[in-house]
Amino acid sequence: MKKSRKIALLIMLATAFVMLAGVLLYRYFIGSRIQDGGRMENPDAYRAGKELIEFRWQQTHTNSSRCFTMHFYLENDLPVLTGRFLSPDGGETRENGRDASSTPIPWQLTWVQWFELQNTLAEAALPAYEKPSHDAAEEANSEICIVWRTEDGERSEKCSGEDAAALETLVLRIAEEAYGTSQPEAGLPRPAPKGG
């Protein structure tokens, strides 16, 4: 009888130990390693040793469809975008709405879009920005400003976007996606006005 009690007690202790170890491992790998304040971590940011905080790109060009102004940034720890660009077919201007104080209302980005931009910027070898001469200023100008968070604090870069076609394609695609998701659903019936 005493032997069966000892065996039952050992089984209960072993079960409790396994459950406790499982909970601790789950918290370590899921809670600490994968999730970060309710959002998914980006392991590439840690590999690169820097995390994107802000990205601005202003481009003027003789071809109006290549002119745009983009500002990607974190607002309340969420990735957002304000900007102005032409639709992919080159027809309609995409621009943020404004609130009562004329402040642009940002478009919400997904973390996937933010990390895709961050990783592309971290891998890009963009040349330093040089202000164009007075003669060339009328033709084209492409200025990129990036703010990174590193172990040593914040670091800013000023780069040229003149020969960054792949980055331009990515930025405009993300902007078009963000613009599209910010628009009211087309074709949904509007609520009928309330009768008095």
Side-chain angles (χ1 to χ4, degrees):
M1 185 93 142
K2 287 187 175 184
K3 190 173 186 180
S4 63
R5 282 187 188 173
K6 285 182 181 179
I7 292 172
L9 184 59
L10 283 174
I11 291 173
M12 285 176 39
L13 287 173
T15 304
F17 177 78
V18 168
M19 289 174 58
L20 179 62
V23 168
L24 292 174
L25 288 171
Y26 178 84
R27 284 187 179 169
Y28 177 76
F29 285 106
I30 303 300
S32 302
R33 294 296 219 174
I34 298 175
Q35 293 182 339
D36 178 25
R39 71 176 198 252
M40 297 303 287
E41 284 186 0
N42 178 16
D44 293 333
Y46 297 97
R47 252 183 262 136
K50 54 190 178 182
E51 184 179 356
L52 183 64
I53 296 175
E54 184 178 0
F55 169 70
R56 288 180 185 262
W57 191 350
Q58 185 167 355
Q59 179 165 285
T60 58
H61 202 276
T62 52
N63 179 353
S64 63
S65 67
R66 297 213 36 221
C67 295
F68 56 83
T69 301
M70 300 286 168
H71 183 198
F72 295 79
Y73 59 101
L74 296 174
E75 182 175 82
N76 300 323
D77 203 32
L78 293 173
V80 295
L81 162 66
T82 58
R84 179 183 177 92
F85 63 99
L86 287 178
S87 62
D89 59 10
E92 185 181 337
T93 299
R94 311 288 201 213
E95 188 171 13
N96 301 90
R98 299 193 175 266
D99 64 16
S101 63
S102 294
T103 304
I105 301 168
W107 299 316
Q108 183 69 49
L109 299 177
T110 66
W111 285 107
V112 171
Q113 292 167 327
W114 182 261
F115 291 146
E116 186 178 10
L117 175 63
Q118 175 179 267
N119 295 338
T120 301
L121 288 170
E123 294 170 3
L126 299 171
Y129 175 76
E130 293 180 17
K131 194 168 183 174
S133 65
H134 182 66
D135 298 334
E138 294 178 7
E139 292 180 19
N141 185 23
S142 190
E143 180 180 356
I144 293 175
C145 297
I146 309 169
V147 180
W148 298 101
R149 180 182 295 126
T150 65
E151 292 177 357
D152 302 326
E154 291 186 7
R155 181 172 55 103
S156 298
E157 296 177 7
K158 207 170 205 181
C159 307
S160 172
E162 286 183 27
D163 297 317
L167 179 61
E168 182 177 328
T169 301
L170 171 67
V171 165
L172 290 172
R173 177 181 58 77
I174 291 173
E176 182 65 25
E177 289 170 0
Y179 170 81
T181 57
S182 72
Q183 300 308 300
E185 294 292 328
L188 289 180
R190 292 186 175 199
K194 293 182 179 180

